[in-house]
Amino acid sequence: MSETCFTPTPRSNIKRLPQRGEYDRATIYQILDEGLICYVSFVVDNQPYVIPTAYGRIEDTLYIHGSPASRMLRTLQKGVEVCVNVTLLDGLVLARSAFHHSMNYRSVVVFGTVITVQDPQEKLAALYAFTEHIIPGRWAEVRSPSPQEIAGTLVLSLPLVEASAKIRTGAPNDDEADYQLPVWAGEIPLQLVASTPIADSRLRSEIELPAYVQNYTSKNRV
Amino acid sequence: MSETCFTPTPRSNIKRLPQRGEYDRATIYQILDEGLICYVSFVVDNQPYVIPTAYGRIEDTLYIHGSPASRMLRTLQKGVEVCVNVTLLDGLVLARSAFHHSMNYRSVVVFGTVITVQDPQEKLAALYAFTEHIIPGRWAEVRSPSPQEIAGTLVLSLPLVEASAKIRTGAPNDDEADYQLPVWAGEIPLQLVASTPIADSRLRSEIELPAYVQNYTSKNRV
């Protein structure tokens, strides 16, 4: 059973604007579960790299995957330190001064060392998590990975041990004198929204659009 | 006058799925101008960090900013190597097999060394670019930064010299045999959409909602 809260470490502790810091595991997992892309940073010969990639979570483990031919994954499978970020942009914050403009966001950072998943059972579970993370209900309908496809996918796991979130919500924080200015101020909420699905041109004509595609929402999909 | 295309370097060259690589400056700038958040990665004592932050572009320079109290900016102002990523998620790609599920995206990576902007004129121009990048038309309405605010903002510049884009569009690429499966396949387009603006609770009652707020769209805003 994992702890309710992550313990802040020197690198995961939110030092700047600490009131925006969150270490609660449920809050952090909700952000990870809502996000679709994570940003994985790593170091090669003292050079930083950051690469966006899909991911999945199973309990206290984050999984990423890709082709064994990928430079990122070839590097990561050596078991290097990573820093992974998932950020949900919730809105633009329009203040009365240029200086106090901001954004509302929920952002998670995870530190740790990635491990190559060797066990085919764990690999298959991770592949299931990737698909269901993106679009719940999909796995049961599609062709499952063949043994060759499983073997040809590099899956890496990152234990969720050292993580924190930074969250900003609500109205702008203007300087007291600026509240008198004749300037509109407030928030423009932003959301990742699905529009009408586009059927593949080779889709067999008798196949109907499934409800989980038609009603897809990125938010609260899990 | 800058070159039409970036020259691929060993680190910016798209090796994996090279057909998705783009080095055209106009394409890359369009992605940077549409994005709202960039992910800045850097190294401290061989430890990678990645931090999401707002940004702006003026011609061939990317600017980021923040408080001099921020750990990231304190590190970056020493003039360290960074890798910056901006990714626009355009859709989910639903294939007939789990293996071929993908995403449509436009992603830019920039490599280089950040420089602290000292010149107050360039700093002010960068602050203008941040605001107008997020919401065109805003700068003219709000209180401009005071000399103290300009002095209290750390602005860093990154020359756009070494950059590349990776782009995926369109339908899934299924295995030939899978096209016969009774599975819906295609794309779910995704877009960052603004919903009804929320006025600040202290907004003076006579202030009307400006058109540039009411009609805000993240896409094609520039």
Side-chain angles (χ1 to χ4, degrees), chain A residues 10-16 36-37 39-43 46-52 54-55 67 69-71 74 81-89 92 94-103 105 107 109 111-112 127 131 134-135 138-139 141-145 148-150 152-153 171-172 174-176 178-204 206-210 212-214 216 218, chain B residues 10-16 36-37 39-43 46-52 54-55 67 69-71 74 81-89 92 94-103 105 107 109 111-112 127 131 134-135 138-139 141-145 148-150 152-153 171-172 174-176 178-204 206-210 212-213 216 218:
Chain A
R11 56 187 187 179
S12 73
N13 184 28
I14 305 293
K15 292 180 197 65
R16 174 80 193 133
L36 287 165
I37 292 180
Y39 295 79
V40 180
S41 68
F42 55 98
V43 184
N46 215 38
Q47 162 69 47
Y49 288 88
V50 53
I51 304 216
Y55 65 95
S67 160
S70 129
R71 170 171 50 180
R74 272 205 319 272
E81 280 285 316
V82 296
C83 173
V84 176
N85 185 282
V86 172
T87 295
L88 308 171
L89 179 58
L92 306 177
L94 276 57
R96 292 153 181 93
S97 65
F99 186 73
H100 283 296
H101 276 66
S102 187
M103 292 183 182
Y105 59 85
S107 180
V109 66
F111 293 96
L127 297 175
T131 305
I134 293 171
I135 180 159
R138 186 67 181 165
W139 183 266
E141 290 216 351
V142 297
R143 177 174 67 69
S144 295
Q148 292 80 354
E149 287 171 341
I150 295 173
T153 306
D174 270 304
D175 290 350
E176 196 50 44
D178 289 339
Y179 281 93
Q180 296 312 312
L181 294 174
V183 177
W184 190 90
E187 186 194 348
I188 302 179
L190 293 173
Q191 209 175 314
L192 199 61
V193 170
S195 50
T196 311
I198 302 165
D200 182 14
S201 61
R202 291 182 63 183
L203 190 69
R204 288 168 51 183
E206 75 278 14
I207 298 176
E208 288 181 15
L209 188 66
Y212 66 83
V213 175
Q214 185 156 22
Y216 186 79
S218 147
Chain B
R11 55 188 186 177
S12 74
N13 185 28
I14 305 293
K15 293 181 196 63
R16 175 80 192 133
L36 288 164
I37 292 181
Y39 295 79
V40 181
S41 67
F42 55 98
V43 183
N46 215 38
Q47 163 69 47
Y49 288 88
V50 54
I51 304 216
Y55 65 95
S67 159
S70 129
R71 170 170 51 181
R74 273 204 320 273
E81 281 285 318
V82 296
C83 173
V84 176
N85 185 283
V86 172
T87 295
L88 307 171
L89 180 57
L92 307 177
L94 276 57
R96 293 152 180 93
S97 65
F99 186 73
H100 284 295
H101 276 64
S102 188
M103 291 182 182
Y105 59 86
S107 180
V109 67
F111 293 95
L127 296 176
T131 305
I134 293 170
I135 180 161
R138 186 68 181 164
W139 183 266
E141 291 216 351
V142 296
R143 178 174 67 69
S144 296
Q148 292 80 353
E149 287 173 343
I150 295 174
T153 305
D174 270 305
D175 291 350
E176 196 50 46
D178 290 339
Y179 281 93
Q180 295 311 311
L181 294 175
V183 178
W184 190 90
E187 186 193 349
I188 302 180
L190 293 173
Q191 209 175 314
L192 199 62
V193 170
S195 50
T196 311
I198 302 165
D200 182 13
S201 61
R202 292 182 64 185
L203 190 70
R204 289 168 51 183
E206 75 278 15
I207 298 176
E208 287 182 15
L209 189 66
Y212 67 83
V213 175
Y216 186 80
S218 147

Side-chain angles (χ1 to χ4, degrees), chain A residues 67-78 154 156, chain B residues 15:
Chain A
S67 160
S70 129
R71 170 171 50 180
M72 171 178 83
L73 289 159
R74 272 205 319 272
T75 301
L76 296 183
Q77 71 176 320
K78 295 173 191 161
L154 189 57
L156 301 170
Chain B
K15 293 181 196 63

Side-chain angles (χ1 to χ4, degrees), chain A residues 99, chain B residues 54-56 58 61-68 73-74 76-77 114-130 145 149-158:
Chain A
F99 186 73
Chain B
Y55 65 95
I58 302 175
T61 305
L62 194 79
Y63 290 95
I64 61 171
H65 73 311
S67 159
L73 289 160
R74 273 204 320 273
L76 296 183
Q77 70 177 319
V114 284
I115 300 161
T116 304
V117 177
Q118 307 284 2
D119 174 38
Q121 286 294 97
E122 187 183 357
K123 244 174 139 172
L124 188 64
L127 296 176
Y128 171 88
F130 295 134
E149 287 173 343
I150 295 174
T153 305
L154 189 58
V155 175
L156 301 170
S157 70
L158 176 63

